[in-house]
Amino acid sequence: MGDMANSSIEFHPKPQQQREAPHAGGFGCTLAELRSLMELRGAEALQKIQEAYGDVDGLCRRLKTSPTEGLADSTNDLEKRRQIYGQNFIPPKQPKTFLQLVWEALQDVTLIILEVAAIVSLGLSFYAPPGEESEACGNVSGGAEDEGEAEAGWIEGAAILLSVICVVLVTAFNDWSKEKQFRGLQSRIEQEQKFTVIRNGQLLQVPVAALVVGDIAQVKYGDLLPADGVLIQGNDLKLDESSLTGESDHVRKSADKDPMLLSGTHVMEGSGRMVVTAVGVNSQTGIIFTLLGTGGEEEEKKDKKAKKQDGAVAMEMQPLKSAEGGEMEEREKKKANVPKKEKSVLQGKLTKLAVQIGKAGLVMSAITVIILVLYFVIETFVVDGRAWLAECTPVYVQYFVKFFIIGVTVLVVAVPEGLPLAVTISLAYSVKKMMKDNNLVRHLDACETMGNATAICSDKTGTLTTNRMTVVQSYLGDTHYKEIPAPNALTPKILDLLVHAISINSAYTTKILPPEKEGALPRQVGNKTECALLGFVLDLKQDFQPVREQIPEDKLYKVYTFNSVRKSMSTAIRMPDGGFRLFSKGASEILLKKCTNILNSNGELRGFRPRDRDDMVKKIIEPMACDGLRTICIAYRDFSAGQEPDWDDENEVVGDLTCIAVVGIEDPVRPEVPEAIHKCQRAGITVRMVTGDNINTARAIAAKCGIIQPGEDFLCLEGKEFNRRIRNEKGEIEQERLDKVWPKLRVLARSSPTDKHTLVKGIIDSTTGEQRQVVAVTGDGTNDGPALKKADVGFAMGIAGTDVAKEASDIILTDDNFTSIVKAVMWGRNVYDSISKFLQFQLTVNVVAVIVAFTGACITQDSPLKAVQMLWVNLIMDTFASLALATEPPTESLLLRKPYGRDKPLISRTMMKNILGHAVYQLTIIFTLLFVGELFFDIDSGRNAPLHSPPSEHYTIIFNTFVMMQLFNEINARKIHGERNVFDGIFSNPIFCTIVLGTFGIQIVIVQFGGKPFSCSPLSTEQWLWCLFVGVGELVWGQVIATIPTSQLKCLKEAGHGPGKDEMTDEELAEGEEEIDHAERELRRGQILWFRGLNRIQTQIRVVKAFRSSLYEGLEKPESKTSIHNFMATPEFLINDYTHNIPLIDDTDVDENEERLRAPPTPSPNQNNNAIDSGIYLTTHVTKSATSSAFSSSPGSPLHSMETSL
């Protein structure tokens, strides 16, 4: 894709060259001219076009393109345009190099400590104590110290450094491959984005990057504009330019008022054609990206570069994939400056767990070091009564360093740095595999959230149904046809009107093309409902193409395009006699209300009164709908030559219509959907259908899919009824009312996008169940954006979805199929289980290794497991095990259990039982070996060996047994729900098998040939067999543990709960804050004062209560509400307890004591990000801590704030 930096010379011709540029390229506009043109808006732009080019056609001529035929599709021409005007591509930000990643991996604290220890150890080992008066220094260096041993002192330090390098390289490599995968994914998303252009008079879909200046592009509803352009012809075109201007109102575009279309904006309504005038770096979005640069460090370099390049800064930016590019950039910047916000639930839980384990490890290692040092000092200087001699200092220091290294080793083993690794590996692996299951994951954590999903709100069309629509019933000329009528059965007048009404009043981009293979179905291109109608025309042995050729698109006088509010589409054409004819089609119940006449069997008008309409609904429309058909009404209206209506008054124009026909369109349910929905229901996921269709149609389809079953208690509502039930008299949505509706709601018909958003938000914010609902939503339309963003996981349709929907989504379904969602649930649950498996394995090793190192060090002054051995164990249990356990493929059995929910701990009771059970086994074996092993194997004891003594067989056996037990326990860890068969499906995971065998192989090498660096001495076959035997014992012991019922072990605690509500980071709050609009800010000021006053009274009451409650501490009710609270209990005022990041009250009032005074809050129903959301919780919770803290009048305690408030 040509390097921008190098080709930027052509981009910005020097002023002298500019005059020759037009001739050089043979085009009538320079790049600079076009750039300056695109900076104008509205009337100014029109004026500029008129002055410079005459009109838009003039501009097209200068750019050597035809407004109707487009460019000639010749490679040379396109290449030349790319040379002169640039490519539609924004070079991505440079990925981090491998070395940068290595450097980042080195920042790890434990690794730094180890490096320091290793270097000190190395330094000391090269220092030989002067003279041979080692006697004076005690039995420090007694023992079999020959020359070779003294020389080998450096090996331990070197080995530690080597293993540190190993860990760093592995981590860096993982990060690097993750980055690479992500980039691959990005580029795949980009390649998938195509845009419709006209070349050689043919409509083509070209990748966005292939657009060139001068292309004629077709813009339609739901597009994300990939380049800047000038509108040639438009129908009712409205754009959302908020990504550039920040104005949320839709901007109306027309060729005669405001023809400027800018890249990165969304088409919200209508359609049209534009000529592309700026691409890539020169488009408006590109210019903004250029200004953004790439953040801090590179600015300086860039300034120098910019001067050289005449301002053409090579942008290192996200590719122009979307308007999101800009947001992404800002997000990247944010990420760089602030610690990364843990988005996903899982990562939150893991981070918390890792920190807790790390703290425990730190304490243990500190104690180990202190005990060792004290023991040594007391023994040497007190018991043996030696004096500290100057010449002995290095020897003593060497001892202290050894102790320090042992301490660090304990820490290294305790800290589970493999946790984050396991998550990334597991997610990256899942994402890669999910591609095969037609899920293109855009945000990694969506994959894991999906496993917790409790509700899916699905669209009907295209997701549950095949989205291949056909007309199967019709009502024409007073007759209800159950199949396609014969053309001769219809009056020519009706037939002619019907053909014209369908052919003209549908997007000209919608067509039916002949099938690609013999015997296949004709291909439907464009809007599927319109395809069904065009198919109906073909079934009536008529053709729509001649009609369209007779009245081409630019002859259409006025078009009201379809949108979700109108639910209809109308097109007006001028008749030969000077009058107008308006064709209209739309949802039957909406359009029939506007009809006053209907064509009878002879094609003559007959009055159509409300009574007739009700009759028709009962006899025609409802029966069609009950068969699961979508009913569409087709109507028209004539305006005589004298009376041109006011086209802007849409209600006036589209009224007084004459109904031509009502057709029933069938969209069959996908054959695999009922099974998929059954799986969801079995897995504890409620499926709800949200559709724009008629309620009867929706209900019929829902029954076919199995969303509603006969005899169940469920609700099917229309949008209007839904709103009536959830809003109060003022028309505001009340959470309590919503909570009455959503649990039973299964079908929401005739719903608007806002209804969808309301429903999703209501379910997410609801507090009725025992845990918060996790909602997944599917959407394809532009208007589904808000609901997709609001949902925990948004699925966009890859085929039918608009760019806007894809932007807002987390996962793109490349085949638009509901079954893919079920696959996503399976993968999500699998990620969760993989992490749990890994944790179960990891924590067992941690517990054992730490206890062994600690007690061993305290009793024998030397850890039985040496630093290097510990690092090897760390490597197998962290890196390799995370690879092996995190890549288990999902099984159908995952769908047999209920979702875990957001606050389920990571380590369940069963897992705790397994961890502790296996730890007991391993510790028993190791301590037995440590203290009586030498008798059992008849070898020398390795205990109390002097410094630098050769490795003993005794300690090698301990190390080897330890590793063997881990290996077999890794197989046990494959099951976390207490299943018996741990080998189940083991061969379906080749990675696991490879890693276990590989580790075993390396272990043999280390023990037999590791020698001094690994402190190992070779073992005999018999000793090896014993080690293996003990290892296999793990599997047997696993079965024993599985027999103990978890329910009997009440003492076991779960661990690893999600971060609590009160631990939300300030940043998350800040994000929430951004959503508040200005009106609310105004409201706030008053509210803040009101809260201050309230809070003062509150505090005083709280203090009084605290004194009172000291009399009966045990009896407080969890929530004693004060009278103030009662008159404040309207939902608007229940204040949610998030950490205060807006000082609603004086700082003196809010302090830790107040945090302690608050019991965990009941989340309030008010979740609409009102100003109050970050405020103070207004129930006075009195807990025991209240009494104690009330008396300590430290600043910030309630007593203190009472003084300030009085």
Side-chain angles (χ1 to χ4, degrees):
M1 285 238 180
D3 187 348
M4 287 271 136
N6 306 348
S7 53
S8 57
I9 322 299
E10 295 134 314
F11 280 17
H12 288 256
K14 301 273 186 293
Q16 311 87 284
Q17 298 171 342
Q18 249 172 28
R19 279 176 222 106
E20 300 137 40
H23 314 299
F27 297 115
C29 314
T30 63
L31 183 69
E33 274 173 37
L34 288 174
R35 257 180 87 145
S36 59
L37 170 68
M38 289 321 291
E39 274 155 19
L40 303 173
R41 302 278 178 278
E44 290 180 356
L46 269 174
Q47 194 183 345
K48 174 80 199 273
I49 291 175
Q50 279 156 5
E51 285 169 11
Y53 313 108
D55 58 0
V56 182
D57 288 355
L59 175 62
C60 291
R61 279 195 296 280
R62 293 271 191 101
L63 286 172
K64 299 205 164 162
T65 178
S66 141
T68 49
E69 297 290 304
L71 294 176
D73 205 357
S74 80
T75 354
N76 296 349
D77 179 43
L78 297 178
E79 203 36 61
K80 193 158 90 179
R81 288 173 190 271
R82 286 197 188 104
Q83 291 284 313
I84 295 175
Y85 297 115
Q87 299 172 323
N88 196 19
F89 161 71
I90 297 179
K93 198 153 139 198
Q94 290 302 311
K96 284 186 177 154
T97 58
F98 188 66
L99 287 174
Q100 279 170 311
L101 291 170
V102 168
W103 178 242
E104 274 174 22
L106 279 169
Q107 310 298 310
D108 190 51
V109 189
T110 32
L111 288 179
I112 293 173
I113 298 176
L114 270 181
E115 285 153 24
V116 172
I119 290 166
V120 173
S121 156
L122 267 178
L124 287 171
S125 64
F126 288 125
Y127 175 82
E132 276 307 309
E133 65 271 50
S134 53
E135 280 312 301
C137 306
N139 61 352
V140 178
S141 44
E145 170 108 23
D146 54 37
E147 283 307 293
E149 288 306 336
E151 304 297 281
W154 61 274
I155 292 183
E156 186 165 34
I160 294 179
L161 279 182
L162 192 73
S163 43
V164 165
I165 291 170
C166 266
V167 172
V168 167
L169 288 177
V170 169
T171 318
F173 179 73
N174 262 312
D175 286 346
W176 180 77
S177 56
K178 190 174 86 192
E179 174 105 345
K180 189 159 152 268
Q181 250 175 356
F182 185 68
R183 290 200 171 262
L185 190 69
Q186 285 298 70
S187 61
R188 192 175 151 168
I189 293 177
E190 266 125 52
Q191 285 156 9
E192 289 206 338
Q193 198 187 348
K194 292 206 164 40
F195 210 75
T196 316
V197 296
I198 303 175
R199 288 186 183 165
N200 279 341
Q202 295 288 320
L203 279 180
L204 296 177
Q205 292 272 331
V206 297
V208 166
L211 285 178
V212 294
V213 170
D215 256 327
I216 305 294
Q218 283 268 11
V219 223
K220 59 180 187 308
Y221 159 82
D223 280 341
L224 176 81
L225 299 185
D228 293 353
V230 179
L231 188 65
I232 301 174
Q233 174 262 326
N235 302 322
D236 197 17
L237 195 61
K238 284 188 190 159
L239 266 68
D240 170 11
E241 295 192 342
S242 55
S243 53
L244 288 178
T245 61
E247 296 292 325
S248 57
D249 293 344
H250 297 173
V251 186
R252 192 180 273 278
K253 297 284 182 187
S254 60
D256 49 359
K257 292 204 179 68
D258 179 5
M260 307 315 256
L261 307 181
L262 307 173
S263 58
T265 58
H266 292 133
V267 183
M268 300 313 276
E269 262 182 54
S271 59
R273 287 205 314 275
M274 70 167 185
V275 55
V276 176
T277 52
V279 292
V281 196
N282 303 303
S283 66
Q284 291 302 303
T285 316
I287 293 170
I288 292 176
F289 274 160
T290 318
L291 297 176
L292 271 177
T294 45
E297 326 104 75
E298 287 160 14
E299 272 333 354
E300 303 84 46
K301 298 186 224 164
K302 200 154 289 157
D303 289 344
K304 294 173 203 157
K305 226 198 263 180
K307 281 175 197 140
K308 279 186 234 158
Q309 295 183 358
D310 237 22
V313 185
M315 296 165 0
E316 291 148 343
M317 256 312 126
Q318 291 287 347
L320 215 187
K321 117 176 175 243
S322 61
E324 202 185 2
E327 292 167 38
M328 281 207 156
E329 192 48 31
E330 278 151 40
R331 261 186 245 151
E332 291 289 322
K333 277 195 186 166
K334 269 194 206 158
K335 263 188 210 155
N337 308 343
V338 282
K340 186 165 143 278
K341 180 178 131 205
E342 291 297 351
K343 245 177 98 169
S344 78
V345 189
L346 184 61
Q347 274 165 330
K349 289 181 185 177
L350 282 177
T351 318
K352 202 173 157 193
L353 193 69
V355 169
Q356 288 167 346
I357 299 174
K359 281 182 187 158
L362 199 61
V363 173
M364 291 289 271
S365 62
I367 298 176
T368 314
V369 174
I370 293 166
I371 290 181
L372 284 172
V373 171
L374 284 177
Y375 196 102
F376 174 75
V377 169
I378 292 170
E379 179 161 348
T380 312
F381 301 123
V382 181
V383 181
D384 299 352
R386 289 199 169 71
W388 181 300
L389 300 172
E391 61 269 27
C392 292
T393 310
V395 182
Y396 294 146
V397 171
Q398 246 173 318
Y399 259 97
F400 290 140
V401 170
K402 179 180 158 191
F403 298 151
F404 179 60
I405 288 184
I406 291 173
V408 173
T409 321
V410 174
L411 177 64
V412 171
V413 175
V415 174
E417 63 274 30
L419 274 185
L421 192 69
V423 180
T424 20
I425 291 181
S426 183
L427 285 176
Y429 172 77
S430 304
V431 167
K432 207 168 176 178
K433 289 281 189 238
M434 281 168 80
M435 289 290 264
K436 292 200 176 75
D437 284 340
N438 305 311
N439 283 305
L440 195 141
V441 182
R442 296 183 60 231
H443 300 137
L444 270 183
D445 49 2
C447 167
E448 160 251 321
T449 316
M450 214 31 229
N452 290 333
T454 55
I456 298 176
C457 297
S458 170
D459 270 357
K460 174 180 79 81
T461 312
T463 317
L464 299 173
T465 58
T466 53
N467 204 8
R468 188 183 170 84
M469 303 201 186
T470 43
V471 173
V472 287
Q473 296 188 23
S474 51
Y475 178 81
L476 286 155
D478 289 343
T479 324
H480 183 177
Y481 296 98
K482 292 283 170 117
E483 50 257 345
I484 304 289
N488 52 15
L490 300 173
T491 323
K493 181 182 172 190
I494 295 185
L495 193 56
D496 184 56
L497 267 172
L498 184 66
V499 171
H500 275 76
I502 292 174
S503 310
I504 293 168
N505 185 27
S506 56
Y508 277 36
T509 48
T510 305
K511 306 192 192 40
I512 294 199
L513 302 176
E516 285 173 340
K517 296 198 266 310
E518 275 299 307
L521 294 167
R523 281 181 299 155
Q524 298 187 341
V525 183
N527 179 315
K528 300 296 184 208
T529 312
E530 291 180 352
C531 285
L533 294 170
L534 292 174
F536 184 47
V537 170
L538 297 176
D539 289 339
L540 290 169
K541 310 286 184 285
Q542 308 293 314
D543 193 3
F544 55 87
Q545 210 48 51
V547 180
R548 286 184 171 182
E549 279 158 14
Q550 184 193 342
I551 305 175
E553 198 168 5
D554 39 30
K555 290 260 175 58
L556 302 180
Y557 196 79
K558 175 75 185 156
V559 180
Y560 301 98
T561 48
F562 180 87
N563 66 24
S564 55
V565 181
R566 290 190 184 118
K567 291 221 188 292
S568 68
M569 169 178 178
S570 312
T571 306
I573 54 169
R574 182 162 246 168
M575 301 299 280
D577 63 1
F580 296 95
R581 177 168 283 177
L582 176 89
F583 291 113
S584 210
K585 68 165 192 284
S588 54
E589 57 260 49
I590 291 172
L591 220 51
L592 284 175
K593 284 187 181 136
K594 301 184 173 175
C595 289
T596 49
N597 295 303
I598 188 164
L599 295 178
N600 64 13
S601 48
N602 303 328
E604 288 141 13
L605 299 190
R606 164 166 75 75
F608 187 68
R609 300 184 300 280
R611 216 179 51 226
D612 302 329
R613 187 175 69 234
D614 297 341
D615 217 30
M616 181 155 170
V617 167
K618 274 199 196 71
K619 293 197 178 130
I620 314 293
I621 292 176
E622 284 186 357
M624 279 190 189
C626 292
D627 290 342
L629 304 184
R630 198 180 212 176
T631 53
I632 301 281
C633 172
I634 300 167
Y636 80 104
R637 175 185 183 178
D638 280 334
F639 296 97
S640 57
Q643 50 162 133
E644 176 163 352
D646 169 13
W647 295 107
D648 288 339
D649 180 4
E650 187 188 329
N651 287 340
E652 178 51 40
V653 176
V654 186
D656 196 11
L657 303 169
T658 303
C659 171
I660 306 173
V662 173
V663 295
I665 295 181
E666 181 184 42
D667 185 5
V669 172
R670 289 176 180 260
E672 64 275 23
V673 163
E675 171 59 15
I677 286 180
H678 177 61
K679 278 184 190 164
C680 282
Q681 288 163 343
R682 209 173 44 199
I685 302 170
T686 314
V687 183
R688 293 183 175 82
M689 181 161 101
V690 182
T691 173
D693 257 352
N694 168 322
I695 183 135
N696 295 328
T697 313
R699 196 184 281 127
I701 297 274
K704 281 182 191 167
C705 295
I707 292 178
I708 53 183
Q709 260 118 19
E712 267 186 8
D713 180 17
F714 56 79
L715 281 175
C716 293
L717 296 180
E718 284 201 341
K720 278 193 185 131
E721 170 66 10
F722 172 67
N723 278 309
R724 200 183 57 71
R725 290 194 184 197
I726 62 169
R727 291 174 191 272
N728 57 17
E729 299 72 56
K730 295 184 193 146
E732 294 155 349
I733 296 170
E734 285 188 3
Q735 187 66 40
E736 292 153 39
R737 292 177 178 231
L738 238 171
D739 287 345
K740 290 197 187 93
V741 175
W742 72 258
K744 287 186 182 174
L745 183 70
R746 291 292 175 276
V747 176
L748 183 57
R750 282 278 172 249
S751 65
S752 67
T754 35
D755 294 341
K756 195 175 196 175
H757 182 252
T758 310
L759 176 65
V760 172
K761 188 171 185 318
I763 297 180
I764 289 180
D765 294 345
S766 167
T767 53
T768 48
E770 58 276 15
Q771 49 189 6
R772 153 159 152 31
Q773 296 273 321
V774 179
V775 184
V777 168
T778 66
D780 51 4
T782 308
N783 39 32
D784 290 329
L788 289 171
K789 267 209 159 62
K790 177 69 193 165
D792 295 287
V793 182
F795 285 93
M797 301 297 138
I799 305 167
T802 54
D803 298 342
V804 186
K806 289 181 190 172
E807 273 325 305
S809 69
D810 302 294
I811 297 180
I812 297 174
L813 295 178
T814 47
D815 62 347
D816 288 11
N817 192 338
F818 188 83
T819 38
S820 305
I821 300 179
V822 182
K823 293 261 176 58
V825 173
M826 222 155 79
W827 276 108
R829 292 185 172 191
N830 191 48
V831 167
Y832 209 92
D833 278 9
S834 298
I835 303 303
S836 300
K837 289 172 190 174
F838 172 66
L839 265 174
Q840 178 175 310
F841 173 68
Q842 162 106 46
L843 293 180
T844 315
V845 189
N846 277 6
V847 171
V848 175
V850 170
I851 294 179
V852 167
F854 175 70
T855 42
C858 299
I859 297 170
T860 67
Q861 283 81 69
D862 183 10
S863 164
L865 297 171
K866 301 288 181 288
V868 182
Q869 295 174 350
M870 288 282 213
L871 281 165
W872 161 238
V873 169
N874 210 25
L875 193 71
I876 59 169
M877 73 186 196
D878 273 4
T879 316
F880 295 156
S882 62
L883 254 175
L885 292 168
T887 53
E888 288 269 316
T891 55
E892 286 283 333
S893 59
L894 287 169
L895 293 176
L896 297 177
R897 61 170 175 78
K898 299 275 175 276
Y900 279 147
R902 284 181 104 83
D903 28 21
K904 177 179 180 300
L906 273 175
I907 301 170
S908 62
R909 279 228 178 116
T910 316
M911 286 167 63
M912 208 51 150
K913 178 184 74 176
N914 291 344
I915 291 170
L916 296 177
H918 286 293
V920 168
Y921 173 80
Q922 296 186 8
L923 286 171
T924 317
I925 298 282
I926 285 179
F927 284 133
T928 313
L929 283 176
L930 183 59
F931 296 115
V932 294
E934 70 272 31
L935 310 172
F936 180 75
F937 283 112
D938 191 24
I939 45 178
D940 295 334
S941 164
R943 294 196 297 284
N944 298 333
L947 202 61
H948 298 321
S949 56
S952 66
E953 277 187 359
H954 184 191
Y955 274 18
T956 309
I957 289 179
I958 293 180
F959 165 59
N960 199 20
T961 312
F962 182 63
V963 173
M964 287 303 123
M965 290 194 292
Q966 300 325 329
L967 271 184
F968 285 99
N969 193 27
E970 195 166 337
I971 299 176
N972 274 332
R974 291 183 66 246
K975 300 290 176 218
I976 48 173
H977 297 299
E979 296 93 330
R980 288 264 174 205
N981 181 4
V982 287
F983 292 102
D984 178 34
I986 194 163
F987 295 113
S988 61
N989 186 0
I991 303 182
F992 183 86
C993 304
T994 320
I995 284 179
V996 171
L997 295 173
T999 316
F1000 185 62
I1002 300 175
Q1003 177 65 16
I1004 296 178
V1005 174
I1006 288 178
V1007 171
Q1008 298 305 89
F1009 310 107
K1012 183 71 189 169
F1014 279 98
S1015 322
C1016 288
S1017 70
L1019 301 179
S1020 68
T1021 320
E1022 188 194 354
Q1023 289 164 337
W1024 263 102
L1025 287 173
W1026 274 110
C1027 293
L1028 266 176
F1029 171 71
V1030 173
V1032 176
E1034 265 290 348
L1035 294 175
V1036 181
W1037 184 248
Q1039 295 301 317
V1040 175
I1041 295 180
T1043 350
I1044 306 170
T1046 315
S1047 49
Q1048 298 301 307
L1049 304 168
K1050 290 277 182 284
C1051 51
L1052 289 183
K1053 281 268 193 298
E1054 299 155 325
H1057 291 265
K1061 270 251 171 82
D1062 44 335
E1063 297 169 23
M1064 276 181 76
T1065 51
D1066 285 349
E1067 209 181 324
E1068 283 180 61
L1069 281 169
E1071 282 209 355
E1073 288 311 321
E1074 286 165 17
E1075 296 175 22
I1076 295 177
D1077 57 13
H1078 303 287
E1080 271 184 339
R1081 290 230 174 97
E1082 292 305 308
L1083 258 176
R1084 268 201 179 169
R1085 302 206 174 112
Q1087 282 174 340
I1088 289 173
L1089 295 168
W1090 168 211
F1091 288 137
R1092 281 194 183 157
L1094 247 175
N1095 191 67
R1096 299 255 161 104
I1097 304 172
Q1098 198 73 34
T1099 315
Q1100 292 155 20
I1101 289 175
R1102 198 180 278 153
V1103 173
V1104 176
K1105 284 245 160 144
F1107 281 110
R1108 237 186 255 160
S1109 71
S1110 59
L1111 305 175
Y1112 41 87
E1113 282 189 302
L1115 305 171
E1116 316 92 1
K1117 298 189 180 67
E1119 202 168 293
S1120 48
K1121 294 192 176 166
T1122 57
S1123 54
I1124 300 181
H1125 189 211
N1126 291 344
F1127 84 82
M1128 284 279 299
T1130 49
E1132 285 84 358
F1133 280 98
L1134 262 182
I1135 297 184
N1136 220 351
D1137 174 65
Y1138 285 72
T1139 18
H1140 334 280
N1141 72 328
I1142 302 184
L1144 287 183
I1145 331 142
D1146 310 2
D1147 295 338
T1148 42
D1149 294 7
V1150 180
D1151 218 38
E1152 284 80 59
N1153 293 34
E1154 199 158 317
E1155 292 280 344
R1156 252 177 268 136
L1157 279 170
R1158 258 187 240 131
T1162 44
S1164 72
N1166 166 36
Q1167 295 258 339
N1168 340 4
N1169 286 328
N1170 280 358
I1172 334 168
D1173 249 8
S1174 44
I1176 317 308
Y1177 195 63
L1178 277 189
T1179 28
T1180 44
H1181 289 296
V1182 182
T1183 46
K1184 290 187 186 158
S1185 60
T1187 46
S1188 50
S1189 59
F1191 292 112
S1192 61
S1193 179
S1194 61
S1197 83
L1199 280 179
H1200 183 82
S1201 56
M1202 183 171 171
E1203 291 149 26
T1204 51
S1205 57
L1206 293 172

